[in-house]
Amino acid sequence: MKEAVMPRMLFACLIFIICGFIPSYGQEIITARPDFTESPVTVPVGSIQIETGAEYTRDNPASELSCPNALVRMGLFEKLECRIGFTGWTRLKEESRASRFYLNDIAVETKFRFTPSDAAIPIATVLLASFPTGDSKLTSGTIDIGLKLAGSADFNDTFSLGANIGMIRTSIDDERRLWGLASVSLGIGLGERLDGFLEMYAEMPQKQSWQPMLDGGLTILMTQVFQIDMYAGCGLNAHTPQFVMGAGCSFRFHP
């Protein structure tokens, strides 16, 4: 019980400590993390945005710790960005086995925004390809191709709603299958420098049970181009992890 409670207590304490010492800024940087739901917003032309963090997952009796969970986003045109995603290394601890670090696959993505930046309901699509560069314990062993459609709508200055639907073709048990993705995220403006979200998402592997998750978290704007975040969530059935939590930061610059 102590192992499950302590990370949550430390997580809550960190939120209150940080919120007391940061200045006030208007929202400027829009990130893909920390929620599962992808934003339809693209980064400005000529800029580079780096998003990174660590994630802990508990699925009794196993646990995982992944880092740096990096996503590099580069603005090529007004509505187009190129992205490189790298989960990094995962420390996997299984029952009665010593923990080990494993390398994850690398993904190359593009995001194209169909609508103007000031559209009432912006819509974008993300095309991704994951390459089998990781260790055999974690990689699918093939090039996986996926497509995701992202949209959002602002109800007022406080509430917004984002939604995704997508699919990836990957290898599961040495068989090529489709892996469905769906999510909906409620954004909540809590102040000039603080935003929260509550989200439900599901991964839907073909010929296997769905894996629904519920999570929520905070993003804290330190400057107009530097943001920190934290989140926690839990699985909603027996096929999902019992608990997940993470934290990270994102920043943007013009080279």
Side-chain angles (χ1 to χ4, degrees):
M1 177 64 69
K2 289 184 179 180
E3 184 177 356
V5 173
M6 284 303 294
R8 303 179 196 183
M9 293 178 61
L10 293 173
F11 190 79
C13 290
L14 182 62
I15 294 174
F16 290 108
I17 291 172
I18 292 175
C19 288
F21 290 96
I22 57 178
S24 176
Y25 292 95
Q27 181 68 32
E28 176 68 22
I29 186 171
I30 304 296
T31 60
R33 59 170 299 118
D35 57 351
F36 182 89
T37 303
E38 176 74 41
S39 165
V41 176
T42 53
V43 298
V45 177
S47 66
I48 297 177
Q49 186 163 304
I50 299 177
E51 308 177 14
T52 184
E55 181 176 275
Y56 171 82
T57 302
R58 182 71 180 177
D59 190 5
N60 287 326
S63 65
E64 297 181 6
L65 178 63
S66 299
C67 186
N69 290 335
L71 179 65
V72 180
R73 305 170 60 184
M74 295 162 282
L76 301 181
F77 301 100
E78 180 185 358
K79 296 182 178 181
L80 179 67
E81 69 176 52
C82 177
R83 303 141 62 104
I84 299 175
F86 179 48
T87 303
W89 289 264
T90 295
R91 189 199 71 177
L92 179 60
K93 182 174 178 56
E94 299 176 288
E95 186 180 18
S96 70
R97 294 184 181 180
S99 61
R100 287 189 57 188
F101 284 88
Y102 298 95
L103 183 67
N104 289 273
D105 291 344
I106 292 178
V108 177
E109 309 173 1
T110 59
K111 178 194 279 190
F112 179 76
R113 176 166 47 85
F114 294 106
T115 57
S117 57
D118 58 351
I121 303 179
I123 298 174
T125 185
V126 178
L127 177 65
L128 64 93
S130 177
F131 297 89
T133 57
D135 291 324
S136 59
K137 184 76 172 179
L138 300 179
T139 184
S140 68
T142 61
I143 298 177
D144 301 329
I145 304 296
L147 183 67
K148 183 184 290 188
L149 187 67
S152 67
D154 293 331
F155 299 129
N156 50 45
D157 292 337
T158 302
F159 296 103
S160 63
L161 190 69
N164 287 177
I165 187 168
M167 192 162 292
I168 299 175
R169 186 167 180 81
T170 185
S171 291
I172 304 175
D173 299 329
D174 297 325
E175 180 183 347
R176 296 293 284 175
R177 299 182 189 177
L178 294 177
W179 190 290
L181 308 169
S183 67
V184 59
S185 179
L186 176 66
I188 308 169
L190 302 174
E192 290 185 349
R193 53 193 170 94
L194 184 65
D195 290 293
F197 73 90
L198 182 64
E199 174 187 53
M200 179 177 289
Y201 65 92
E203 299 183 1
M204 300 164 283
Q206 186 181 12
K207 299 181 181 180
Q208 292 185 3
S209 299
W210 286 19
Q211 302 170 13
M213 297 283 295
L214 178 68
D215 69 342
L218 296 173
T219 60
I220 306 170
L221 202 64
M222 306 296 286
T223 74
Q224 289 187 329
V225 290
F226 178 64
Q227 173 185 284
I228 62 175
D229 63 69
M230 52 204 73
Y231 62 95
C234 62
L236 299 180
N237 66 15
H239 305 283
T240 54
Q242 282 82 28
F243 178 70
V244 60
M245 66 179 293
C249 66
S250 305
F251 59 93
R252 189 175 71 228
F253 63 94
H254 291 264

